[in-house]
Structure formats: structure tokens, C-alpha cells
Amino acid sequence: MLGRDWLTEEIRSRPRLRMMVPRLYGLGDLSQIIDERAYTQARFILSSMGDDLAAFVTTAAHRQSVEALQKHRFVLLLGDPASGKSTIGASLAVGALDDGAIGTVRISDGPGFEQHWNPNEPSQFFWIDDAFGETQYQRSRVDSWNSRLKMMHAAVKSGARVLMTSRTYIWNSAKFDLKLGEFPLLSNSQVIIDVQGLTDLERAQILYNHIRLGEQPISLKRKLKPFLPSVATNTNFLPETARRLASPYFTGKLSVSRDGLSDFFERPIEFLRDVLIGLAEPERAAVALIFLHGPTGVPSPIANSTELTTVYRLTGVPLADVARAMEALRGSLTLLVEAPDGPRWVFKHPTVADAFAEIVSGSPEMIELYVRGAKLEKLL
């Protein structure tokens, strides 16, 4: 048998093991395994993660990110909102410090990179969160990166490690304006977080960790327990929704039943409202256009119509911008599907329409969108 001392020594002597299982960082005194110069910084990053590290489950996206950083010293981590990009980023930042990085610098734009990159310190780790915009595409950030891609190439070549994250729909807009030829790793070293690709075991582990560590009273946890296996196999499972299930703040009106929990995961209205409110005007106009067309969707290519005229009158967003935004949202909030009369743009999930209806129903200036696009039962 291998005892406690052997396990402790294995953990202390193998940085790669700790990088692959980030929860090990929470088991003891970091100063025993991380150099003193990085200890304070690592402790700060871990404290900012809160309980997310304790609930962290190693997935394919995390493992692929570790491999990409070790192979290329660069990774672009893409995913939908609430798919776990920031949690993976924090774990990779601590892992880099553990693996000899001189320091972790968290920035968001090109000027920040130029300011902090030190050619005399080749072991820096740059964590660039939401590189091309936080909730909406920002052309100014892309321009700031375009003028510094050669600098980033030099930094990576000399030993620096770089992690970039972006929401998928924002990357879909940014990639057309980026000078990808000057830094091919933007295309060649990508990891996409596919929440639908999580295994049933990974979903079960994520759900269990959040519920166990959450703030729900023991009595509610006991009521939830019989229904959790079916929740873990729900195809609409999101790590963020699991986190919200563990918090009394989000479950005040929750019906603890199979149907109630299924509805909580399949119709995350509150979460989607936050996402939609954070979109830029062109993306919101694209959502409004699909909302007005209803379940049949918007014919592609998008042409002038009474619905488009209404959207332009209420938002001021022209057709060209709506079309580009529709493309950028593809796969996150919208889908291009085949119909008998040609391709059409529809919502990726019907709940998007319900969330948008709640937003416009509360706005006197947008009430026309609600009346014309809301479901009949909602109006009644």
C-alpha cells in the first residue's frame, strides 16, 4: 500500500499533475510547492475563484488547453457565456506559476500587453480575458491587437505563455478583422468548450460539487437528491445553471420536482436575460428580427421586409449590420437551418424568445416588438 507520505511527495514533485487536477491547489499550503515570488499572486488568483476551484471538474477543454500551452505556449479558449472559460483560465494561470512562470499578468487589450511584456523576463504568463470584447464585439480592441500581433509572436517565440479567451459569437465577428497571417496560432491553437460535449459523468461531478459546496440548506439538498441523476443527463445542462441551483438567491420560486428542475435547466430565463441585455445593438436587433418572425424564422439571405423596417425604426440598426450580427451569433444564440422554402435563421433554443419578450415587455418604447412577436398565450 502507498501511504499519505508517498501521495504528498508525488503531489509536491509533479507540477504537471497539479496542472491537470487544479483542485489539488486547495489541499494545502501553496508555499510548499510554489516559489515564494509567485505564492502571493497564486493565492490572490485562487481567492478570486472562490468556491469555483473546489467545484472544478477537469474536462476535455481543460486538458486540451494545458496541452496547447505546453506545445505552442499559446491557446485561444472559445465558448458560449457561462461555459467555464474564466474558471479554466484561472486554473491555467496558477498552473503556469507552479510550472516556473515569473508572474501572471491579466490584461484585456493590446496596449496592456505592450506595457507589461518584458523581453528580459521570457517566462511571463499573460491571461487575456475577453480579448475582443466582454459582452459584445469591440473593433477598437481588434485594431489594438492587429498592431501588436508581431510583438506577441516575438514574445511567445522567446518563451512567454499566452492564454486568450473570448465568447464564440464575439470571435466569429473578430476573426474577419484580425490579421491572422501575422499570428497563425490564433487559428491553429484553439480550444472550444463544447458544453453539449460534456459526458454524463462530468455533468454529474459538476452538479454534485456545486450542490455539496453550495449555500442551500440541508433540508433542500435532501429534497433535490432523488432528482439529480436526471438533471445530470439533461441535454440543456450548463455549469452556470448548476451553480445557480446551489444558491438560494436563484431558487426562491423553484418547484422541487422532476418537471420543476427540468424547467429550471431548460428555460434559464433569468440567465438569458442577462446575456441579451449585454449584447451590442446590432446583435439585439438580430434577435429582435427573429423574434418578430416567430418560430418559422428569418429567410436567408436577409432581405427588406416589414419586420426589418420595424426593427430599423425602433433600433436604428441597418440591414448590413443586422446580417453581420446574425452571422456572429450563429451557434450561440442563433442557428441557420434548412426549411422547405430555403435556409432560415432561428433561435438556437426557444427560451431565447421568452427571455427577449420579458425584456421588451418592460420597455414602453419597445412594447410594439412585444405585441407583434410574443406568443399568443403570453399576450392573453
Side-chain angles (χ1 to χ4, degrees):
M1 294 183 65
L2 301 172
R4 178 189 182 93
D5 292 341
W6 180 87
L7 286 169
T8 301
E9 184 58 33
E10 287 295 300
I11 292 172
R12 289 181 60 182
S13 63
R14 296 171 62 184
R16 180 176 171 80
L17 170 63
R18 298 191 293 272
M19 290 176 68
M20 285 297 191
V21 191
R23 275 188 289 166
L24 290 174
Y25 289 119
L27 295 181
D29 185 357
L30 282 171
S31 63
Q32 293 180 359
I33 56 175
I34 297 180
D35 190 287
E36 185 62 33
R37 65 186 176 186
Y39 171 58
T40 303
Q41 198 171 21
R43 189 174 55 186
F44 175 79
I45 295 172
L46 288 176
S47 67
S48 70
M49 292 177 70
D51 292 334
D52 289 341
L53 181 66
F56 188 85
V57 172
T58 306
T59 61
H62 176 261
R63 292 189 291 271
Q64 291 167 12
S65 297
V66 172
E67 296 288 350
L69 276 175
Q70 293 191 333
K71 182 178 180 180
H72 303 293
R73 294 196 293 273
F74 175 87
V75 63
L76 173 60
L77 188 59
L78 302 172
D80 291 339
S83 57
K85 297 184 299 299
S86 295
T87 304
I88 291 178
S91 69
L92 294 174
V94 176
L97 288 169
D98 185 15
D99 197 31
I102 195 68
T104 292
V105 182
R106 188 170 182 176
I107 55 176
S108 60
D109 54 22
F113 180 81
E114 183 175 1
Q115 177 184 353
H116 292 286
W117 176 48
N118 184 355
N120 297 318
E121 294 287 358
S123 297
Q124 288 177 291
F125 181 85
F126 291 92
W127 177 9
I128 308 169
D129 217 9
D130 296 317
F132 314 112
E134 295 174 1
T135 60
Q136 52 191 263
Y137 171 52
Q138 296 180 3
R139 177 60 189 266
S140 59
R141 285 201 187 181
V142 170
D143 290 340
S144 76
W145 286 118
N146 277 334
S147 61
R148 295 170 177 87
L149 289 179
K150 291 182 179 179
M151 180 186 298
M152 181 176 291
H153 177 77
V156 170
K157 190 175 180 179
S158 65
R161 280 170 280 185
V162 178
L163 163 70
M164 271 188 173
T165 72
S166 175
R167 294 185 177 187
T168 305
Y169 67 85
I170 293 178
W171 165 251
N172 287 337
S173 292
K175 63 184 178 182
F176 295 108
D177 298 321
L178 281 165
K179 297 178 181 178
L180 298 177
E182 294 188 1
F183 193 62
L185 286 177
L186 280 169
S187 299
N188 300 333
S189 186
Q190 293 182 2
V191 174
I192 299 175
I193 301 177
D194 180 10
V195 177
Q196 276 68 41
L198 293 174
T199 66
D200 289 347
L201 178 59
E202 288 170 342
R203 291 194 187 102
Q205 290 175 327
I206 293 170
L207 183 60
Y208 171 80
N209 288 347
H210 279 296
I211 296 298
R212 181 174 64 87
L213 297 167
E215 301 172 355
Q216 298 289 10
I218 294 295
S219 58
L220 182 60
K221 292 182 180 181
R222 288 174 177 161
K223 292 179 181 178
L224 288 172
K225 186 175 180 179
F227 304 105
L228 297 184
S230 61
V231 169
T233 57
N234 192 310
T235 55
N236 294 289
F237 180 93
L238 280 174
E240 172 64 15
T241 315
R243 185 187 68 81
R244 294 190 179 200
L245 180 62
S247 170
Y249 181 81
F250 296 106
T251 55
K253 299 180 181 179
L254 176 67
S255 171
V256 183
S257 63
R258 184 178 296 273
D259 290 341
L261 285 168
S262 177
D263 193 59
F264 186 82
F265 276 84
E266 294 177 8
R267 298 169 58 83
I269 300 295
E270 183 178 348
F271 164 65
L272 281 172
R273 283 183 73 254
D274 294 342
V275 173
L276 293 175
I277 289 173
L279 293 176
E281 282 297 329
E283 280 80 10
R284 278 203 296 269
V287 170
L289 186 60
I290 297 179
F291 181 76
L292 286 179
H293 277 83
T296 58
V298 181
S300 177
I302 301 173
N304 284 315
S305 62
T306 55
E307 291 84 2
L308 185 63
T309 301
T310 300
V311 169
Y312 177 72
R313 176 165 50 82
L314 294 175
T315 67
V317 179
L319 168 58
D321 291 343
V322 172
R324 282 193 291 268
M326 197 77 79
E327 285 276 5
L329 292 173
R330 184 177 182 178
S332 295
L333 295 176
T334 68
L335 288 175
L336 186 61
V337 300
E338 290 296 329
D341 55 347
R344 287 178 173 267
W345 290 102
V346 298
F347 288 131
K348 184 176 182 180
H349 194 281
T351 313
V352 178
D354 296 334
F356 188 74
E358 287 201 6
I359 294 174
V360 295
S361 67
S363 170
E365 299 302 322
M366 294 293 175
I367 198 67
E368 181 181 346
L369 286 176
Y370 178 72
V371 173
R372 294 184 59 177
K375 297 175 182 177
L376 181 59
E377 60 266 28
K378 283 282 187 181
L379 288 173
L380 292 174

